[in-house]
Amino acid sequence: MELGIGIGWRPEIADAVEALPGIDWVEAVAENLCADHLPASLVRLRERGVTVVPHGVSLGLGGADRPEAGRLAGLAARATLLGAPLVTEHIAFVRAGGARTASPVLEAGHLLPVPRTWAALDVLCENVRVAQDSLPVPLALENIAALISWPDEELTEGQFLAELVDRTGVRLLIDVANLHTNHVNRGEDPATALDELPVEAIAYVHVAGGVEKDGVWHDTHAHPVTGPVLDVLAELRSRIAPPGVLLERDDDFPPPAALAGELEAIRDTLAAGRGGAPRPAPRPSSAEPPAPGTAPTVRPGNGAGDPEALRDRVAVAQTALLSALVAGTPAPEGFDHRRLGVQSRALAAKRADVVAKVAPELPEILGRGYREAFLAYARSRPMSAGYRRDALDFAERLLIAGLPADEAARRRLTHWWQDRAAARPPRRTARLARAARSVLAGR
């Protein structure tokens, strides 16, 4: 399906997205949408004939456990509600622990890389098949950006993606910004990855901005798209005309004119690629089927052995890594300790940012002390559920410690926590009466 040029729909820029010229489609984060009704902006876009694709972030298809039925049902419901031609997710794990490791479940709050090993590939492929069987439309999976590398990897990124497509028939969502990120952070050549992966399986492409700090590229989605990222897009365009290209922006949203300028730069890059000399055919990958009459290639892993024992081994490795990142346990052998520190701080910072979005009252109540207090909390309290639960737990820990020191702020935080921790939220009149009492008490 030809999608054209699109942009990531976010509530903060909904009006700008509706007004931007030449937008053929949009992508919305699935978990930010209700399963039974749409924001008015998306309704208007759909009425104009703009395609909307739900983009999932929480399935954790690269994790040791099979994807949860409830999460799959939610993604399927959103695809049906939107009339979407496909849904997308990530090649990543987002949680670890639990019954397989007899340890608490830990949430990363972010997309973490799957080791490019045959064992991890076997687990991923089965998880993808489970997801495909549960979704009403085709699934496409995105390559992620990474700050860290797993030791003893057995496949390159392109080989890993080629094997995944060969075994499952899944489509690919190629993020050229993530290829650039992995070039800076892990020394991986984007052109080599593009040569090795099956470009004909690409459903669409992401383009996003980031920033380099101390030799590490951070895929922020909060900065303008850079020249090197557009260069990777040009590399991809020299191999294939992608069915769709989408600009992502998740924070620090610029004026509409700046978004329009980035979209125009993407269009110019794609147009320039049309006139270039055609690339030679990609090198054969290990995912290609054997020639007729020859014995099939026997690949390591490939589902051999006890599948549950395989999942258990993956679970132990992923739990050890995530625990080091969010709970301060010793780093697993073979990892770069400095990079683990960078990733750990990035995860805590993202938690602070997202909690501030889902619970904007917290930075309002705590003022400038919010971020410092939250990062101190995050160092000793790993996230075990979603961000809303994280916000409640953070507030509870502050109150137990007798914080904040300001009595009026502490009273406001207490009321906020009571309202949201209750089994049923208070009625609007009760909230207004409480707010009035707080104002009078503060006089």
Side-chain angles (χ1 to χ4, degrees):
M1 175 181 178
E2 291 294 324
L3 291 168
I5 298 296
I7 188 169
W9 182 90
R10 303 293 183 266
E12 298 91 336
I13 54 171
D15 291 343
V17 168
E18 289 188 62
L20 284 169
I23 296 297
D24 303 308
W25 65 292
V26 299
E27 179 191 77
V29 177
E31 287 80 355
N32 292 345
L33 302 176
C34 294
D36 57 354
H37 71 277
L38 296 175
S41 173
L42 287 181
V43 172
R44 290 191 293 269
L45 287 169
R46 291 193 66 233
E47 289 173 347
R48 284 167 39 188
V50 176
T51 298
V52 183
V53 173
H55 186 52
V57 297
S58 66
L59 278 185
L61 292 174
D65 292 317
R66 292 172 180 84
E68 297 173 20
R71 294 181 189 275
L72 285 170
L75 187 55
R78 287 158 177 81
T80 300
L81 182 65
L82 290 165
L86 78 164
V87 297
T88 58
E89 246 288 352
H90 298 82
I91 302 169
F93 78 99
V94 297
R95 64 188 65 86
R100 290 187 182 276
T101 58
S103 63
V105 174
L106 299 174
E107 290 277 348
H110 192 57
L111 306 165
L112 294 177
V114 175
R116 295 174 195 153
T117 63
W118 296 102
L121 180 63
D122 286 343
V123 171
L124 172 64
C125 287
E126 186 186 353
N127 288 348
V128 169
R129 295 186 197 104
V130 171
Q132 288 171 317
D133 290 343
S134 303
L135 295 170
V137 292
L139 172 67
L141 295 181
E142 179 179 354
N143 59 305
I144 72 161
L147 290 173
I148 55 177
S149 298
W150 284 82
D152 304 321
E153 292 193 324
E154 299 165 321
L155 298 157
T156 65
E157 180 160 30
Q159 291 167 345
F160 193 85
L161 294 176
E163 283 284 342
L164 175 64
V165 170
D166 185 51
R167 294 190 192 185
T168 66
V170 76
R171 305 294 302 279
L172 295 177
L173 192 181
I174 294 300
D175 191 315
V176 294
N178 291 349
L179 290 178
H180 172 68
T181 301
N182 294 342
H183 172 62
V184 176
N185 294 347
R186 309 207 290 190
E188 299 170 352
D189 180 23
T192 299
L194 291 172
D195 281 341
E196 292 177 335
L197 65 82
V199 292
E200 68 280 0
I202 294 175
Y204 64 88
V205 172
H206 273 174
V207 181
V211 63
E212 187 171 349
K213 294 180 181 177
D214 300 324
V216 175
W217 186 268
H218 296 267
D219 179 49
T220 63
H221 292 194
H223 292 81
V225 175
T226 63
V229 170
L230 292 176
D231 290 343
V232 181
L233 178 62
E235 277 282 349
L236 187 150
R237 177 63 184 88
S238 72
R239 292 159 173 78
I240 192 172
V245 179
L246 181 128
L247 172 65
E248 280 192 300
R249 186 80 177 220
D250 292 328
D251 210 345
D252 289 343
F253 298 101
L259 292 173
E262 292 195 84
L263 287 164
E264 192 59 33
I266 290 170
R267 293 187 183 95
D268 291 345
T269 300
L270 295 172
R274 293 180 192 146
R279 297 273 309 186
R283 295 194 301 274
S285 78
S286 60
E288 291 191 354
T294 62
T297 302
V298 179
R299 299 167 183 141
N302 211 21
D306 180 357
E308 295 309 311
L310 189 64
R311 286 182 178 274
D312 289 344
R313 291 197 297 274
V314 171
V316 168
Q318 291 183 346
T319 302
L321 173 59
L322 185 51
S323 182
L325 291 173
V326 302
T329 58
E333 184 178 354
F335 281 93
D336 183 321
H337 287 223
R338 187 183 75 85
R339 283 297 175 87
L340 286 184
V342 173
Q343 180 72 84
S344 179
R345 291 188 293 274
L347 290 177
K350 179 169 183 178
R351 278 177 71 183
D353 291 341
V354 178
V355 165
K357 284 187 175 182
V358 302
E361 301 88 351
L362 293 179
E364 178 188 335
I365 293 169
L366 300 174
R368 293 182 178 178
Y370 163 75
R371 193 170 188 83
E372 181 181 353
F374 188 90
L375 293 178
Y377 154 81
R379 281 195 291 271
S380 60
R381 300 283 296 185
M383 187 162 63
S384 59
Y387 284 109
R388 287 177 174 81
R389 182 73 252 174
D390 207 22
L392 284 170
D393 290 347
F394 167 57
E396 183 178 36
R397 297 300 295 181
L398 287 180
L399 293 171
I400 290 172
L403 297 172
D406 179 77
E407 184 179 346
R410 189 165 65 253
R411 185 166 54 247
R412 288 184 64 197
L413 184 63
T414 300
H415 292 161
W416 180 88
W417 182 86
Q418 289 173 337
D419 287 349
R420 284 150 185 81
R424 294 182 63 183
R427 295 178 180 271
R428 182 172 181 271
T429 53
R431 294 199 306 271
L432 291 173
R434 178 176 290 166
R437 288 196 298 271
S438 296
V439 170
L440 292 173
R443 287 182 177 176

